[in-house]
Amino acid sequence: MSTDTTMLAQQFDDAAQQRDASALGMWVFLATEALFLGVLFAGYTVCRVRFPEAFAAGSRHTDMLLGTIETAVLLTSSCAVALALRDVQLGGRRIAVWLLLLTAALGLGFLVMHGFEYYSEYREGLMPGIHYTQQGPLAAPMQLFFCLYYFITGFHSLHVGIGVILLLVMARRTHRAQFNAQYCTPLELSALYWHLVDIVWIFVYPLVYLVGRAG
């Protein structure tokens, strides 16, 4: 019996229909996530227009070097997961497993670096409601910047963590030869999810790290 048949759920007529339905479901999920993030970005933009000096000052307190490294790490991980998927589609397996593990490791590295950022900001007194010690006329609106900063980056980091777990599961299933050139839909959807995580960060990076350093 073929892999397509063994993996086919009862409600579908064939593997192609199952794949299309799964892809549609994932795109709907990603659309809802994009809408939620869109509200956060819109709120950030409105506050940035209202308090440009405070947001610029807040941005200058962020670690641009770490933010840049994190961006490079996520872009590299996106390339790695795309290569892993392509390897499976071409009938490979071993290289795909290592690439998926590499992608998960890069995701973990991103989270560790972001954790160091949070710790540094805590020590600097830049955590509203926990440890915020900034003074001066820009202190109150800059607090709003950091509220949005932690909300946006924290929400993104949550998705990175979920993505890392997904990738580890996909690496395990790939190692067990559960995917092949004819069937790799779960891997395709996991890669699609990871690409969303990367794309979101491409918007977060300039908004958070570069807004106060332009010009």
Side-chain angles (χ1 to χ4, degrees), residues 68-84:
T68 302
I69 294 173
E70 290 164 2
T71 302
V73 164
L74 282 185
L75 291 176
T76 302
S77 72
S78 194
C79 178
V81 76
L83 291 173

Side-chain angles (χ1 to χ4, degrees), residues 52-70:
E53 293 182 0
F55 270 56
S59 178
R60 287 192 290 271
H61 280 283
T62 60
D63 192 326
M64 190 174 70
L65 176 60
L66 266 182
T68 302
I69 294 173
E70 290 164 2

Side-chain angles (χ1 to χ4, degrees), residues 33-193:
E33 294 293 286
L35 287 172
F36 182 81
L37 288 164
V39 171
L40 289 179
F41 288 143
Y44 178 95
T45 302
V46 170
C47 293
R48 166 80 173 108
V49 171
R50 289 195 61 189
F51 309 107
E53 293 182 0
F55 270 56
S59 178
R60 287 192 290 271
H61 280 283
T62 60
D63 192 326
M64 190 174 70
L65 176 60
L66 266 182
T68 302
I69 294 173
E70 290 164 2
T71 302
V73 164
L74 282 185
L75 291 176
T76 302
S77 72
S78 194
C79 178
V81 76
L83 291 173
L85 175 59
R86 185 59 178 164
D87 185 55
V88 171
Q89 290 173 336
L90 293 175
R93 180 162 61 93
R94 190 175 69 173
I95 295 177
V97 171
W98 283 110
L99 286 169
L100 289 169
L101 291 175
L102 172 62
T103 307
L106 289 171
L108 283 174
F110 173 90
L111 293 175
V112 169
M113 286 187 287
H114 220 63
F116 279 120
E117 273 194 89
Y118 285 169
Y119 177 69
S120 176
E121 287 150 2
Y122 171 79
R123 293 188 61 182
E124 197 176 341
L126 295 171
M127 282 194 170
I130 299 176
H131 183 56
Y132 191 80
T133 60
Q134 302 304 302
Q135 302 293 329
L138 297 179
M142 193 167 72
Q143 189 171 9
L144 180 58
F145 168 85
F146 279 102
C147 285
L148 289 167
Y149 162 75
Y150 289 118
F151 204 103
I152 292 172
T153 58
F155 187 70
H156 176 264
S157 295
L158 173 64
H159 283 71
V160 173
I162 294 171
V164 167
I165 295 172
L166 276 175
L167 290 167
L168 290 174
V169 171
M170 291 301 107
R172 183 169 180 267
R173 293 187 63 180
T174 303
H175 178 69
R176 293 188 170 188
Q178 295 182 4
F179 303 132
N180 55 37
Q182 289 72 43
Y183 174 78
C184 57
T185 300
L187 181 56
E188 289 182 52
L189 300 182
S190 298
L192 183 61
Y193 175 87

